[in-house]
Amino acid sequence: MMIATAGAASQALAQEDTFPYNNEQFADIQMLRFKVEGFDDLTLRQKTLVYYLSEAALQGRDILWDQNGRYNLRIRRMLETIYTDFKGDRTTADYKAFEVYLKRTWFSSGIHHHYGSEKFQPAFSQAWLREAERSAGISAAQMQANEELFPVIFDPSVMPMRTNQKDGEDLVLTSAGNYYGPGVTQAEAEEFYAQRKPASDPRPIMMGYNSRLVKDEDGVLREEVWREHGLYGQAITKIIENLQQARPYCDTEKQQRVIDKLIEYYRTGDLRTFDEYSILWLKDTEDLVDFVNGFTETYGDPLGMKASWESIVNFKDLEATKRTEKLSQNAQWFEDHSPVDPRFKKENVKGISAKVITAAILGGDLYPSTAIGINLPNSDWVRRDYGSKSVTIGNLTDAYNKSARGSGMGKEFVIDKATLELIEKYGDLCDDLHTDLHECLGHGSGKLLPGTDPDSLKAYGAAIEEGRADLFGLYYVADPKLVELGLTPNAEAYKSQYYTYMQNGLLTQLVRIKPGQNIEEAHMRNRSFIAHWALEHGKKDKVVELVKKKGKTFVKINDYEALRGLFGQLLAEVQRIKSEGDYAAARNLVETYGVKVDPEIHREVLERYERLNLSPYKGFINPVYIPVRDAQGRITDVKIDYTEGYAEQMLRYSRDYNNLPAIN
Ligand code: ZN
C-alpha cells in the first residue's frame, strides 16, 4: 500500500535552499526535482548497487504503459516520432496543444489522467495530427496502421476511463486498463477467481496478482502470466539482467538472497515464490540500500487484484529513522490502546519495521507521480504472520514542502491568522508524523476475523484500507503518548494536522476534480469520506463547521478534542468493516461521504485556486546516475546529475528502455 501526497494542502513555510526544486509547469502538472542528499557519502559498493538497481528500475517502464491501456505504447511511439521529426511550424496552437498532450501522456504513462483516470481530450485536430505524421516522415503504411489509434485518442466515448469505479457499472468492461482482455466482464472475472479460491487456506496466494485475464476465441478464460518468457517477458529479462549485476554489490548475503528470490519469481511467475520473496524482503532491515521492484500495488485494477509494475531504489536516512523507530518500538502499545473492538486487534503486533528513506530513483507506477510513503508487502497473511516494512520518503516530502513555499494556499484557504501560524509552525512535522503513523502502524494494525475473505470489500477495499490507515494516524497524532515520546513538541501541535486534513478533505482536494465529476481515486475518496463523515456526525455539537467569510467558505474547527473522538469512532467502525468484510457498509460509507461533490463548493474552490496559478498535481524528474569506469571497465565512482530536462528524460527512457513490442 502507498500513501500519496495530499498535494494541494501543503502550505507550510520552509528554510532557504537553492536547489532547483521547481521545474516546468503544464496542464495541471508541476514538475519538480528531488535532491538525493547523502548519495556522495555512500561507499563505492553502495553507489554501484544503487546504479544497477536504478537501471533495473527503469527497464520495466514499458510494462506500466501497456498495463495502463493496450494502445499506449503505439500512441507513445507515434507521438514521439512527431515530436522529434516534425518539420512544420512549432509555434501554432495545434502544435502547442500537441506538446501539452504528449507531456501529459508521458506523465500518466498513457492517455488517461494518472489520478482521476479520465481520458485526455486533445486540443489539436485530427487533420493536424495526420499532417504532422506526414511531416515527420511516417510512412504511408505506418500511417494506415495508426488510423486505428485516432478514435482511441479523439473519440470521447472510446475508453473514457482507465479505471472505472462507478457503482453499478461493469467495472471491468468499462475500464481501459489492460488487466483484462477484450470482452471479459466483471461477473466473469469475479466468477473465475471465486472458483479458484481454496475453501480454507490460512496462507492464500494473492490470486490474479501478476497476470492478465483473457478470453479465448471459444470464450474460455485464462491467465497470461507476467514473467520471463511470458507476457512482458522481454522487459522482465532486462530487469533480471540488472538485478544480477547489482547482486555482487549488496552489503549483506541476506539481501543477495532477496535478489535471488525475486529473480526466481520473475522467472516462474509463481505467487508462492512471490510470498517467499516478500518475507525475505521485509526481514531485510539492516541494509542501508533497499529497493522495491515488481508488480506491487493494485489501485489500477477496478477489482483491486492485479498489480501495476513499479520500482523505487533508496537508502536509509539514519537520523530521521530514529523518529519512526520510536513508533515501531511502541507498536504494541498503539495497538492495545486504539479505540477498536478488541476482537479486531492483533494480540501480537509482529515485525513492524519502519524507516525514513532517501529516494534515489523512481520507476514504473512511482514515476513521475509518486508516493511519499510505502508499506509492503500487501499480502494479508504475510502481514499477519511476518509483519511489514514501512517507509516514509523524506527527500520527496521535503521537495514538496519546499516547492510549495510561498504558494499562497494557506492565506487563501486557512480561516484565520492563528490557525495559519499553527500550521506554519507544526505543519511539516505533523504531516510527516501522520505519514509515519499511517504507514508504519495504521496499515499494520488490526486483523481480519477468521474466515473473512480479504477481497470481500471489492472495489471499495482500497478506499477503506487507506481510510483505516489515515484514521489510525489522525487518532494518534493527537495522543499525549507522542508528546511523551518526544515526537510532538506539545499538546497543541496536532491541531495543525487536523485543520489541514479537514480543509483538504472538505475543500482543497477538490482542485483535482473537474466540474461535474465525482471522486474516483482511492486516497481522495478516503480523505473525503473521513472529513464529510466527521462534519456530519459533529453537526449537532458544532465540532466542525463550514462557514462563510466575505463570500468564501472556510473550515472552522470548534472542538479539536471532540474531533479526535469522532476520528476514533470512525476508526472503530472502519476496522469492523474490514475485519468482518462488510461490503454493504463499506459501499454505504464510501458512496455516502466519499464520492459525490457539492457543485456549489466545488465551483468556488476552483475559482479561488485558479487565481493562485498553482498546479494541483506534482511529479518528479529523476536524477541521472553516471558510472565512472577505469580502463578495465570497472566502476570507480558514480556521479549524480540533476540537469536533464523533462522531455529529454522521457525521450531518453523511450530510447534506452524500449523493451516491449507495440502490441502485447
Ligand atoms: Zn496507505
Side-chain angles (χ1 to χ4, degrees):
M1 280 146 277
M2 56 159 248
I3 184 166
T5 174
S10 192
Q11 51 213 329
L13 294 173
Q15 286 91 46
E16 203 61 52
D17 187 338
T18 54
F19 186 80
Y21 293 99
N22 286 304
N23 198 266
E24 66 178 288
Q25 212 175 355
F26 54 88
D28 54 358
I29 305 289
Q30 167 78 57
M31 293 307 301
L32 306 175
R33 289 183 197 278
F34 59 92
K35 184 154 62 165
V36 190
E37 197 93 61
F39 181 76
D40 292 332
D41 302 329
L42 299 180
T43 64
L44 174 58
R45 191 185 174 89
Q46 290 164 339
K47 284 184 193 173
T48 311
L49 179 62
V50 167
Y51 170 70
Y52 284 118
L53 289 175
S54 66
E55 286 295 300
L58 298 174
Q59 296 289 0
R61 178 175 182 251
D62 283 357
I63 297 175
L64 180 74
W65 279 76
D66 193 72
Q67 287 181 314
N68 281 342
R70 67 181 63 93
Y71 298 102
N72 282 336
L73 286 170
R74 290 173 66 189
I75 291 172
R76 185 183 86 197
R77 281 161 198 174
M78 172 172 80
L79 299 180
E80 286 178 351
T81 304
I82 293 172
Y83 186 74
T84 41
D85 297 345
F86 182 66
K87 286 165 205 74
D89 186 353
R90 292 188 186 236
T91 63
T92 65
D94 275 319
Y95 184 83
K96 296 279 176 211
F98 161 79
E99 202 174 11
V100 169
Y101 182 83
L102 174 57
K103 285 181 175 178
R104 300 185 83 181
T105 301
W106 276 331
F107 192 89
S108 291
S109 306
I111 57 169
H112 296 84
H113 197 279
H114 71 288
Y115 211 81
S117 179
E118 75 281 4
K119 193 167 85 172
F120 299 133
Q121 268 314 296
F124 52 89
S125 70
Q126 303 202 32
W128 181 88
L129 190 62
R130 285 196 185 90
E131 194 45 49
E133 283 185 279
R134 240 171 260 126
S135 156
I138 295 175
S139 70
Q142 185 59 50
M143 277 185 68
Q144 190 53 44
N146 287 349
E147 278 305 302
E148 199 188 345
L149 305 175
F150 276 68
V152 180
I153 296 173
F154 289 98
D155 184 341
S157 70
V158 176
M159 296 182 144
M161 295 293 283
R162 188 186 66 199
T163 312
N164 185 14
Q165 300 280 13
K166 251 176 236 106
D167 192 27
E169 295 186 4
D170 185 317
L171 303 183
V172 170
L173 267 186
T174 58
S175 291
N178 207 1
Y179 296 104
Y180 302 88
V184 178
T185 67
Q186 181 176 353
E188 285 169 340
E190 284 172 351
E191 174 67 13
F192 180 89
Y193 288 108
Q195 276 178 6
R196 277 154 187 80
K197 200 152 270 178
S200 59
D201 183 351
R203 300 182 160 193
I205 55 164
M206 302 227 282
M207 200 119 44
Y209 196 56
N210 66 335
S211 64
R212 182 192 293 162
L213 185 65
V214 298
K215 198 190 270 188
D216 281 343
E217 275 147 40
D218 45 5
V220 178
L221 294 175
R222 66 181 168 84
E223 286 186 328
E224 291 179 341
V225 178
W226 307 323
R227 61 179 170 85
E228 197 179 30
H229 308 305
L231 189 54
Y232 303 145
Q234 305 94 322
I236 289 170
T237 298
K238 294 278 190 182
I239 295 167
I240 292 173
E241 280 169 20
N242 283 285
L243 290 173
Q244 282 168 330
Q245 284 183 294
R247 190 185 182 283
Y249 299 98
C250 293
D251 274 332
T252 66
E253 264 177 56
K254 211 171 176 179
Q255 192 168 47
Q256 291 185 326
R257 282 198 292 275
V258 173
I259 290 183
D260 292 342
K261 203 44 116 177
L262 178 57
I263 292 173
E264 187 191 330
Y265 162 63
Y266 270 139
R267 292 208 157 126
T268 60
D270 184 337
L271 287 168
R272 293 252 170 242
T273 308
F274 178 70
D275 286 342
E276 288 163 24
Y277 153 77
S278 296
I279 293 163
L280 290 175
W281 176 83
L282 77 90
K283 284 183 171 171
D284 177 22
T285 52
E286 298 101 86
D287 280 282
L288 193 77
V289 176
D290 199 358
F291 69 102
V292 172
N293 185 306
F295 302 102
T296 310
E297 303 286 6
T298 56
Y299 303 107
D301 171 9
L303 302 185
M305 266 189 296
K306 301 185 174 295
S308 61
W309 190 90
E310 71 178 35
S311 184
I312 179 172
V313 182
N314 63 80
F315 52 90
K316 206 187 282 187
D317 178 338
L318 294 170
E319 191 52 40
T321 293
K322 289 176 187 157
R323 187 181 82 210
T324 53
E325 276 171 349
K326 278 189 193 167
L327 291 179
S328 54
Q329 281 157 7
N330 289 283
Q332 191 68 53
W333 186 93
F334 287 101
E335 184 75 359
D336 294 345
H337 290 80
S338 89
V340 160
D341 186 324
R343 290 183 302 138
F344 310 138
K345 285 187 187 182
K346 280 196 172 113
E347 296 80 11
N348 289 300
V349 180
K350 276 184 203 136
I352 291 184
S353 74
K355 58 184 176 180
V356 180
I357 58 169
T358 302
I361 205 139
L362 307 168
D365 217 358
L366 288 169
Y367 168 83
S369 171
T370 191
I372 52 170
I374 302 175
N375 183 311
L376 292 172
N378 283 328
S379 159
D380 281 299
W381 77 260
V382 175
R383 301 166 74 82
R384 181 192 67 211
D385 294 353
Y386 294 92
S388 60
K389 201 192 293 190
S390 166
V391 303
T392 32
I393 314 172
N395 61 329
L396 299 185
T397 307
D398 192 51
Y400 282 127
N401 289 342
K402 289 189 172 140
S403 83
R405 203 179 86 179
S407 70
M409 273 300 278
K411 247 191 170 147
E412 179 60 40
F413 287 101
V414 176
I415 187 160
D416 53 35
K417 211 162 158 252
T419 311
L420 189 57
E421 276 169 11
L422 195 76
I423 293 165
E424 282 171 356
K425 217 163 166 183
Y426 304 118
D428 283 0
L429 173 84
C430 288
D431 245 3
D432 283 351
L433 272 175
H434 184 255
T435 307
D436 295 341
L437 286 162
H438 173 115
E439 291 297 344
C440 94
L441 299 180
H443 280 309
S445 74
K447 66 172 183 194
L448 299 181
L449 286 185
T452 297
D453 176 355
D455 296 327
S456 40
L457 303 183
K458 297 191 177 121
Y460 300 104
I464 290 291
E465 177 56 22
E466 294 309 324
R468 193 176 74 91
D470 261 4
L471 285 162
F472 198 95
L474 288 167
Y475 181 76
Y476 274 121
V477 76
D479 202 281
K481 184 79 176 176
L482 293 202
V483 185
E484 185 196 314
L485 291 171
L487 292 169
T488 44
N490 55 50
E492 300 293 298
Y494 80 90
K495 293 178 181 172
S496 66
Q497 180 64 18
Y498 276 26
Y499 192 86
T500 50
Y501 196 94
M502 292 300 287
Q503 176 210 309
N504 194 42
L506 296 173
L507 302 174
T508 39
Q509 77 163 356
L510 294 176
V511 304
R512 296 178 159 190
I513 305 287
K514 288 220 184 75
Q517 277 174 356
N518 284 333
I519 302 175
E520 303 280 343
E521 200 275 338
H523 295 83
M524 285 186 72
R525 283 183 166 189
N526 98 59
R527 292 183 204 120
S528 177
F529 86 64
I530 291 172
H532 285 98
W533 186 95
L535 179 70
E536 179 66 26
H537 287 73
K539 206 165 231 168
K540 145 170 124 333
D541 302 322
K542 291 200 168 173
V543 177
V544 186
E545 296 172 279
L546 285 176
V547 298
K548 289 265 188 190
K549 269 172 72 179
K550 292 182 189 159
K552 292 178 177 178
T553 309
F554 291 90
V555 172
K556 183 162 182 260
I557 300 180
N558 298 310
D559 188 341
Y560 281 91
E561 236 167 278
L563 182 55
R564 184 181 185 220
L566 290 171
F567 287 148
Q569 222 180 305
L570 186 56
L571 171 60
E573 170 61 3
V574 166
Q575 182 62 56
R576 184 199 65 75
I577 290 172
K578 165 116 182 166
S579 293
E580 295 179 352
D582 187 344
Y583 174 80
R587 177 178 161 183
N588 185 42
L589 180 62
V590 176
E591 291 292 338
T592 309
Y593 298 106
V595 177
K596 283 172 233 101
V597 178
D598 179 322
E600 223 24 62
I601 286 184
H602 193 191
R603 192 176 319 118
E604 179 201 319
V605 168
L606 288 177
E607 273 171 24
R608 287 162 71 186
Y609 187 71
E610 204 179 288
R611 283 199 291 273
L612 298 172
N613 270 322
L614 301 173
S615 309
Y617 299 99
K618 295 174 175 64
F620 291 98
I621 301 171
N622 272 323
V624 185
Y625 294 91
I626 305 158
V628 182
R629 296 176 191 270
D630 65 12
Q632 282 77 44
R634 283 177 305 222
I635 294 179
T636 57
D637 197 8
V638 179
K639 300 274 180 216
I640 186 165
D641 180 81
Y642 296 106
T643 57
E644 190 170 43
Y646 175 59
E648 203 186 339
Q649 180 156 92
M650 288 294 179
L651 290 170
R652 181 171 65 86
Y653 285 179
S654 294
R655 187 188 69 223
D656 293 353
Y657 307 101
N658 182 29
N659 291 331
L660 292 183
I663 301 171
N664 291 279

